[in-house]
Amino acid sequence: MSDEQRLAADWTAIVVGSGMGGLTCAAYLAVAGHRVLVLEQAGVLGGNSHVFRRRSAYEFDAGVHYIGDCGPDGVLPSILRGLGLGDRVAFRAMDPDGFDEIVLPGLRMSVPVGWDRYLGRLVEALPADEGGLREFVAVCSAVGAEMRWTLLSAVGADPAEVLRRTPMAMAWGRRTLHQLFEHCGLSATARTVLAAQALNYGIGPEEATVGMHASVTDHYLRGAAYPVGGGQVLAASLTEAITGHGGTVRVGQRVDRVLVEQGRACGVALDTGQELRAPVVVSNADYVRTVRELVGEEHFPASIGKRARTAVTGFPLVVLYVGLDRELPGRTGANLWWHGNADVEEAFRGLADGRFDEPSSVFVSFASAKDPHTPAIRPPGHANFQVMALCPRSLEAWGAEAASENGGRYRRDPAYLAEKDRVTEAMLATAERALGPFRRHVTHLELASPATQRRYTRSTGGSPFGLARWGGTGARPDTRTSVTGLYVVGQGTRYGSGITGAAVSGIACAGQILGRPLLPEVHAGAVLGDPRMLPARGADWDPLRLCGGRAPRGTHAIGQ
């Protein structure tokens, strides 16, 4: 049967969106024998794992800066290995003695692998807070370990066993990070050091739960790494698993709505008017947009509609992509977390109030130092790095076009361009405070705003972090919805933000559809995909080209 014939019918599952959640779910459904169709509205697969190239010289990651828990029993390596991709994705370990560097006024600390070594560094840097730091680490290390056990355990159906094995997560998991700071009696400086990497999940201590913070911290303290070849390798490898097992992946096809009949999802309608039918629909779109636009509140209980209307997302990001004609002196692959304000909670309150004259803190990721042997990242002797900062949730400062609900034609709007120039200069000034002067060596400079994020991923408010508030503190929805046959994966689900969190949502969703505990299975060593069915990679294999590259909208099928 040709692809065009199959477009009219014959799908058993349609996945809307190609972020890590959507591709992971589609891959596991495909290896289990489902006839899967993935539809991506953009021209390149991968969502926040995609890369883009500039000047035929630099390759920039949109969202993959580093990944934790990448050892032999790591979560993401297990997910990839279960699809038969274990030999196709390699991770380059970052320095276990200091994969992150935290800098505050008068304080500098490298973050090592392991909770015990992390505590030692904290106490050395902040001796006056030693008692509180020990209590904080005791709580967070226990919560992180217990939540990971719950994720990987097949015992999940036995509530009594879960309660017995997760006492600290039950006591602290849903309380806020601020409450734990207060309980431990920590100083403002200690709080800032502990929450210095909050940009990994996009919210501050008064919104973040202990469970979220502990899981993310535990994830990285198990060993940080970077995928060899950049983030696009992840999307490309998952795509190979899908197409190699009979699925189809298409770019440039925007889903206008999910079709629901008699309370059951039955397919999708494209913005061209074409309808595609399937008994299972998985949305990798923004959770709020899925409920309110793709499906419609009328198909959900009133409580879900209310939560969708009142939901709060994580703070959006501004990202400055920089190419230099030289390496940065003294920089290794370690990420830099630079804070000009030693009171992290005050800084987040300023963001919540809309204050953003200049960023008070930045996260700097040095891609060319993390993956020095991939030629596409930068020319020899050059540097490629990204400077990121959280910004207020309202997009009004970026102009009326950028702030409009559907994004408008903002890119040529004078108000948008003026704000973009202002923020670019502010980001440059802060980056030079953090790194030293580098402007005269700049060969490429480009700013991505929250409107950019929204254009590519259609995320609510232009945030890449999913939901900060969905009803009560720490609440996030599951991948299964109240509409039969409809599932949602990605950053907005209870499995957390980030590349690994999104991938976990995808395998968890596939497990719900297939009725089996897939993640515990593959973590225990099961390989469900057949490596012999994967396409060969030639010497000129290019993950970006495989994922669509600059394919024209509405015409390109991947791997066909």
Side-chain angles (χ1 to χ4, degrees):
M1 179 180 291
S2 74
D3 185 54
E4 290 305 317
Q5 288 175 314
R6 184 177 278 185
L7 275 175
D10 203 40
W11 305 108
T12 58
I14 294 174
V15 178
V16 181
S18 68
M20 283 297 291
L23 290 178
T24 302
C25 181
Y28 271 96
L29 293 178
V31 303
H34 274 262
R35 299 183 299 279
V36 179
L37 171 65
V38 179
L39 300 170
E40 169 57 50
Q41 60 99 19
V44 180
L45 302 172
N48 282 322
S49 70
H50 88 277
V51 304
F52 62 94
R53 292 173 181 161
R54 293 291 186 265
R55 302 176 183 267
S56 299
Y58 300 100
E59 179 177 285
F60 296 104
D61 274 293
V64 178
H65 309 301
Y66 67 150
I67 299 170
D69 197 10
C70 285
D73 72 336
V75 172
L76 186 58
S78 296
I79 291 172
L80 296 170
R81 190 167 54 243
L83 293 167
L85 299 172
D87 295 331
R88 295 207 165 201
V89 181
F91 294 95
R92 185 173 185 265
M94 296 174 67
D95 186 354
D97 193 51
F99 58 85
D100 276 345
E101 183 181 23
I102 298 170
V103 177
L104 278 64
L107 184 149
R108 184 180 296 266
M109 188 188 101
S110 291
V111 179
V113 170
W115 281 101
D116 289 342
R117 295 183 68 204
Y118 176 55
L119 175 60
R121 295 278 172 89
L122 289 169
V123 171
E124 182 181 356
L126 299 156
D129 285 283
E130 180 175 354
L133 291 170
R134 291 188 179 279
E135 174 69 9
F136 182 89
V137 168
V139 170
C140 285
S141 60
V143 171
E146 290 172 6
M147 293 182 71
R148 189 174 188 270
W149 174 85
T150 302
L151 186 69
L152 298 175
S153 174
V155 182
D158 183 355
E161 178 69 0
V162 172
L163 285 170
R164 187 183 70 81
R165 294 285 296 265
T166 60
M168 198 67 80
M170 292 295 174
W172 279 103
R174 294 287 290 272
R175 298 171 73 178
T176 68
L177 189 57
H178 171 78
Q179 288 174 312
L180 182 55
F181 286 161
E182 291 289 297
H183 170 77
C184 296
L186 293 165
S187 68
T189 300
R191 297 177 189 214
T192 303
V193 171
L194 292 166
Q197 299 123 303
L199 189 143
N200 278 323
Y201 45 78
I203 52 179
E206 293 178 349
E207 290 182 300
T209 63
V210 173
M212 174 182 287
H213 178 83
S215 293
V216 171
T217 305
D218 182 74
H219 172 74
Y220 288 111
L221 290 181
R222 290 177 182 273
Y226 184 81
V228 175
Q232 197 73 53
V233 170
L234 300 173
S237 300
L238 290 168
T239 300
E240 289 175 329
I242 296 166
T243 58
H245 289 83
T248 297
V249 182
R250 298 176 68 86
V251 296
Q253 296 218 331
R254 179 173 293 179
V255 171
D256 185 61
R257 67 185 187 281
V258 174
L259 303 175
V260 179
E261 296 176 357
Q262 298 181 337
R264 178 183 293 272
C266 57
V268 300
L270 304 181
D271 62 353
T272 60
Q274 184 181 19
E275 293 188 356
L276 309 173
R277 296 276 170 163
V280 170
V281 176
V282 179
S283 175
N284 192 191
D286 173 89
Y287 205 102
V288 172
R289 191 180 293 274
T290 297
V291 172
R292 302 194 66 192
E293 297 181 23
L294 291 183
V295 180
E297 292 182 37
E298 67 273 15
H299 296 294
F300 293 91
S303 60
I304 298 298
K306 180 179 179 180
R307 288 187 177 191
R309 290 191 302 274
T310 59
V312 176
T313 62
F315 287 100
L317 276 175
V318 286
V319 185
L320 193 65
Y321 298 94
V322 186
L324 301 184
D325 64 7
R326 65 162 192 172
E327 299 284 2
L328 280 165
R331 298 309 314 180
T332 65
N335 301 308
L336 174 63
W337 301 86
W338 183 91
H339 291 259
N341 184 343
D343 187 339
V344 68
E345 293 183 293
E346 193 280 331
F348 271 100
R349 284 191 289 269
L351 283 178
D353 291 340
R355 300 197 298 271
F356 190 68
D357 293 332
E358 64 178 43
S360 63
S361 61
V362 291
F363 166 47
V364 189
S365 173
F366 305 93
S368 53
K370 293 174 184 174
D371 194 13
H373 306 302
T374 297
I377 288 181
R378 63 17 178 161
H382 286 222
N384 166 335
F385 64 96
Q386 298 166 43
V387 184
M388 291 155 272
L390 298 173
C391 62
R393 289 185 171 103
S394 172
L395 300 189
E396 291 182 1
W398 297 93
E401 292 290 340
S404 65
E405 187 170 344
N406 293 317
R409 299 175 65 87
Y410 69 90
R411 284 183 287 173
R412 297 185 182 275
D413 179 37
Y416 177 76
L417 294 175
E419 181 65 4
K420 190 173 181 180
D421 287 344
R422 186 194 72 79
V423 174
T424 297
E425 176 57 35
M427 292 284 284
L428 267 175
T430 301
E432 289 196 308
R433 289 174 65 193
L435 298 172
F438 60 78
R439 290 188 199 219
R440 65 189 183 92
H441 295 280
V442 169
T443 53
H444 183 79
L445 193 67
E446 181 174 355
L447 185 86
S449 73
T452 313
Q453 171 77 26
R454 185 175 59 182
R455 183 170 90 251
Y456 281 105
T457 67
R458 297 179 64 76
S459 62
T460 299
S463 171
F465 297 108
L467 295 167
R469 192 177 312 133
W470 178 260
T473 300
R476 279 189 171 196
D478 190 23
T479 56
R480 191 194 305 270
T481 76
S482 58
V483 177
T484 302
L486 175 69
Y487 300 81
V488 182
V489 296
Q491 305 275 29
T493 68
R494 69 184 182 89
Y495 297 98
S497 56
I499 294 296
T500 300
V504 169
S505 78
I507 190 173
C509 179
Q512 288 179 329
I513 294 168
L514 299 173
R516 57 191 293 188
L518 289 177
L519 184 53
E521 285 184 34
V522 301
H523 189 258
V527 178
L528 309 183
D530 186 350
R532 296 171 299 177
M533 299 180 72
L534 300 175
R537 291 180 177 178
D540 62 346
W541 183 78
D542 181 351
L544 184 57
R545 187 183 304 124
L546 184 141
C547 289
R550 297 182 181 275
R553 187 172 186 275
T555 61
H556 196 68
I558 306 298
Q560 301 297 314

